[in-house]
Amino acid sequence: MKTHTRVAVIGGGVVGASVLYHLAKAGWTDIVLIERDELTSGSTWHAAGGMHTLNGDPNVAKLQEYTIKLYREIEEASGQSCSIHITAGVDLAGTPERMDFLKLACARARYLGLDMEIISVDEAARIFPLMDKRHFVGALYNPLEGHVDPAGVTQAYTKAARKQGAEVYRFTRVTGLVPLPDGTWDVITDKGNLRAEHVVNAAGLWAREVGQMVGLDLPVLAMEHQYLVTGDMPEVTSSAKEVLHCIDFEGEIYMRQEGKGMLIGTYEKKGVPWAERSTPWDFTHELLPPDLERIAPSLEVGFRHFPALERAGIKRIVNGPFTFAPDGNPVVGPIRGLRNYWVAVGVMAGFSQGGGVGLALSNWIVHGDPGFDVWAMDVARFGDWATPAYTNAKVRENYSRRFRIRFPNEELPAARPLRMTPVYDRLKANGAVFGAAFGLEHALWFAPPGTEPREDVTYRRSNAHRYVGNECRAVRNAVGLLEISTFSRYEVSGAGATDWLDRVLAGRLPREGHLALSPMLNDNGRLIGDFTVANAGRNRYFVFGSGIAEEYHLRWFEAHLPPSGVALRSLRTAMLGMAIAGPKAREVLARVCRDDVGDAAVPFLSFRATEVAMVPAYVSRISFTGELGYEIWVPADCQLRLYEALVEAGAGFGLTAFGARALQSLRLEKSFGTWAREFRPIYTPTEAGLDRFVDLGKPGLIGGAAAKQARDAGPTRRLVTFVIDAGEADAIGDEPVWHDGKVVGWVTSGGFGHCVGKSIALGYVPAALSNASAGFEIEMLGERRPAAIATQPLYDAPGERMRRS
Ligand SMILES: Cc1cc2nc3c(=O)[nH]c(=O)nc-3n(C[C@H](O)[C@H](O)[C@H](O)COP(=O)(O)OP(=O)(O)OC[C@H]3O[C@@H](n4cnc5c(N)ncnc54)[C@H](O)[C@@H]3O)c2cc1C
């Protein structure tokens, strides 16, 4: 064993092997992989090896395509066969809602350059004769589906890496990790120790244990998963070509050819976790006892839908565990507060996703950036609230719903309510229908008295539509009240605060008592945040951003803090807020604020420390609604008092509670972008239309030079606002944008603008087309709807209402 290495990858499953391969390919060849047993001895060896490109997140779907296309490359690089079978696949819909889901997936695939097609039941039955077409209404055809040999793939990755100089230590268990002051690690194993510049936790079924070695509770849990292999089937042996892969969503089963029979797997509703507390170290190349009873309901549907399967009989049953994250996507990246410790865990579809995960992580380690948009699988999408008990509830839910439809307006119930603010009960009593963001309950909309606070799930406008419309109009015509604790807030203070913020934030800092909007850039000059910065004076700032990105932003902030002179803290639990917005907002505030709130005293984009409702408060004169508005922040234990005072003061002014759905409609009318939608790490400020909020010439600005270079070269795409000639559905995000018969761009968010009476979408198109107002179509639910670019915001383009004096 070496005594020193650049990277020690812990885990010789398909994921660790892929990380090793990609690091070696990037030129980092002084690297090792440490495996406690034989390679593949976690989940990998008993996997069905199936692969496909279907994923709810388009960026993960793209990674799946990368993974599948990688297998030829690693075969060539290693000389090891992966036993690649690209059979193509049919995903069968039994209901119109499922057809909507497939149409959406197909449309999304189109803008990603993935080649899928909606086909009729007859066509599906022609290419997949095992199905009984009476149970289906249509299908999605995906040419890029198939399977590989799990052991072959793992060997191919490691052999190819070893050819470059990487070393693989089998039968060597990592028993401890000791951080050293210079950021390197002592890796303790049962065969001796070595010093590593970086360590990668790719320990699969033991990811939690390797996390606990450094004090981490990683949000992953293993579930038992069963597939069975049938006896020989004449329908298979007589088939001229290998039988296609198939997913039957109604039966919650997937299947593919295995020898002369079929392999059938299920994601049954009553899934069972495995090794809930800790994974035994002596579990190696083992299977779990089969439990046919548990999957019987799915099999019954399967036998009805595919009658030949029932006749074939069962030859073999495999029950094995593999790990999931609470939302089912991989958990990848650096950990906040731990230098040079990386995770590549919770990869539930190693043969669809392992290649992409390896590429992203190796880019991150070698270049400091994953190189593409990995938000959907970044470990930082979870915070400290994602405890093992939370993970347990969510993973079970996710497993049981793996083949169920997730509607765009659907909020999943497990592990809720988790985080609640003091006003939660009041909002609930007022009819709030809640969603959860970063674990926090927040109001989506309010059901008026006599209406059940429940939203029907749908791809079209829901029962909430008209109530949300009423909330929007109340904001535009009178005054609305919104809880804003879903925004993140940080305090930055100290002698070095101004210099530091000037370096990490791309905007100009506000002068004392004022606010400024500021994007944040990564080293490549791409957007990694959009904030409102408040200058409270005396080297003290408040920075407000997107709540779902708190861990992501704290990780970046902390990694870029100087050794001294700047204090940074999250105010998540210390400071909570309410916002009021609308033409009557000032009059409401005047009733509860100690100080003068006139325009001269509190002008647009000002920030004041004052007293509201008898409690100390900060008031920001700003609103994401585009109206005259104030965001009021108070100590957490005073939020309820603030809420009650505002409700009382607003009674005579038509104050109406509004939620996230109305806010979405109002911001779309103003063409305001938001994090994780319009602003993501693949866009430059110029592309996102944020040039006026950045000062790229600031000395030392992170990403400044790269963003300036991109701006000078001219953007390749631009963010635009569309008005869609929609039917009964609005865009939701990720729909393709067509122009002249070609897909040219994609939607980032969409919805109905209740106060302008139009269906609106924001999205990116090639820069050359961004001035062409007409000729666009947006594909929604399988239909291409005419769309036109709006050259200015649809509501109050000059922004007079929010500046209202
Ligand atoms: C029945 C079944 C069917 C499946 N079918 C499919 C499918 O069709 N398609 C698909 O894509 N996926 C499938 N999967 C999922 C797939 O198996 C996983 O996504 C994949 O194996 C995850 O790989 P991994 O490398 O993350 O973890 P693992 O395979 O668990 O590998 C982790 C490795 O780390 C080693 N290790 C752990 N701790 C230490 C330590 N301290 N020191 C040294 N070594 C350590 C372990 O020994 C192990 O070899 C299936 C899973 C099951 C159970």
Side-chain angles (χ1 to χ4, degrees), residues 127-431:
I127 57 178
F128 189 73
L130 289 176
M131 65 187 263
D132 178 345
K133 54 185 188 176
R134 286 174 306 173
H135 302 290
F136 300 102
V137 297
L140 177 74
Y141 174 76
N142 184 354
L144 202 55
E145 273 189 45
H147 54 275
V148 279
D149 168 34
V153 167
T154 311
Q155 294 290 352
Y157 278 133
T158 48
K159 275 189 186 167
R162 282 167 57 197
K163 281 191 175 177
Q164 306 274 339
E167 294 186 8
V168 174
Y169 306 135
R170 293 176 304 135
F171 301 100
T172 305
R173 186 176 128 195
V174 174
T175 55
L177 292 166
V178 181
L180 299 169
D182 64 353
T184 62
W185 293 86
D186 269 342
V187 180
I188 318 296
T189 85
D190 56 1
K191 300 277 168 65
N193 304 345
L194 83 166
R195 177 80 41 95
E197 289 169 27
H198 299 262
V199 291
V200 176
N201 175 352
L205 288 176
W206 295 266
R208 290 173 305 179
E209 281 70 19
V210 175
Q212 279 152 8
M213 288 175 191
V214 297
L216 275 181
D217 268 332
L218 287 168
V220 292
L221 175 72
M223 296 289 292
E224 293 192 16
H225 181 72
Q226 301 186 74
Y227 65 77
L228 49 90
V229 178
T230 70
D232 294 356
M233 294 171 60
E235 295 82 354
V236 173
T237 48
S238 63
S239 173
K241 286 203 291 186
E242 187 166 7
V243 177
L244 267 61
H245 271 233
C246 172
I247 296 177
D248 170 12
F249 295 99
E250 266 57 52
E252 296 169 325
I253 53 184
Y254 61 88
M255 70 185 90
R256 67 162 171 88
Q257 183 174 338
E258 172 76 8
K260 294 176 181 170
M262 294 293 287
L263 178 156
I264 310 160
T266 69
Y267 283 91
E268 70 280 8
K269 284 200 183 64
K270 294 208 167 88
V272 171
W274 178 75
E276 284 177 85
R277 291 194 175 271
S278 60
T279 307
W281 286 109
D282 59 359
F283 184 83
T284 296
H285 278 100
E286 274 172 68
L287 289 175
L288 308 171
D291 184 353
L292 266 184
E293 195 82 336
R294 199 161 72 222
I295 59 173
S298 291
L299 288 182
E300 269 168 36
V301 180
F303 291 157
R304 237 181 307 124
H305 290 183
F306 311 94
L309 296 179
E310 187 164 22
R311 294 192 292 271
I314 298 169
K315 194 164 82 181
R316 184 160 60 95
I317 304 174
V318 170
N319 184 8
F322 64 110
T323 52
F324 291 78
D327 59 5
N329 272 334
V331 176
V332 179
I335 300 283
R336 174 183 155 213
L338 282 181
R339 268 169 83 192
N340 302 330
Y341 180 96
W342 306 81
V343 296
V345 303
V347 184
M348 61 77 52
F351 300 93
S352 298
Q353 299 170 335
V357 166
L359 174 67
L361 197 71
S362 68
N363 279 343
W364 224 330
I365 295 172
V366 173
H367 305 299
D369 188 273
F372 40 90
D373 192 335
V374 297
W375 171 249
M377 58 181 196
D378 192 327
V379 57
R381 70 191 186 279
F382 300 108
D384 54 6
W385 43 268
T387 58
Y390 168 90
T391 301
N392 192 304
K394 276 294 182 199
V395 167
R396 285 168 189 249
E397 177 184 63
N398 185 276
Y399 187 92
S400 72
R401 297 181 45 95
R402 172 119 179 90
F403 283 156
R404 299 250 293 278
I405 300 172
R406 172 87 192 256
F407 289 92
N409 66 337
E410 186 167 11
E411 294 287 332
L412 302 180
R416 293 180 55 201
L418 183 70
R419 294 177 52 216
M420 286 166 282
T421 57
V423 297
Y424 174 82
D425 283 341
R426 296 294 199 284
L427 302 183
K428 194 168 180 181
N430 198 20

Side-chain angles (χ1 to χ4, degrees), residues 115-132:
D115 187 20
M116 294 185 193
E117 209 185 317
I118 293 292
I119 57 174
S120 67
V121 184
D122 287 339
E123 179 59 11
R126 193 184 65 74
I127 57 178
F128 189 73
L130 289 176
M131 65 187 263
D132 178 345

Side-chain angles (χ1 to χ4, degrees), residues 444-522:
L444 298 174
W445 58 281
F446 292 83
T451 313
E452 196 189 343
R454 187 183 58 82
E455 186 163 350
D456 301 333
V457 293
T458 174
Y459 282 102
R460 293 170 173 73
R461 289 176 194 148
S462 78
N463 59 316
H465 187 74
R466 69 190 169 110
Y467 306 118
V468 171
N470 293 341
E471 290 173 18
C472 292
R473 284 182 284 277
V475 174
R476 295 266 187 254
N477 299 328
V479 55
L481 175 67
L482 173 78
E483 196 198 357
I484 47 172
S485 307
T486 48
F487 299 173
S488 60
R489 51 254 170 223
Y490 314 95
E491 183 186 35
V492 180
S493 57
T498 306
D499 286 348
W500 181 70
L501 281 172
D502 242 340
R503 218 170 76 74
V504 291
L505 298 184
R508 287 164 212 92
L509 291 183
R511 61 184 200 282
E512 186 174 338
H514 286 80
L515 302 168
L517 304 183
S518 179
M520 183 161 75
L521 308 176
N522 63 14

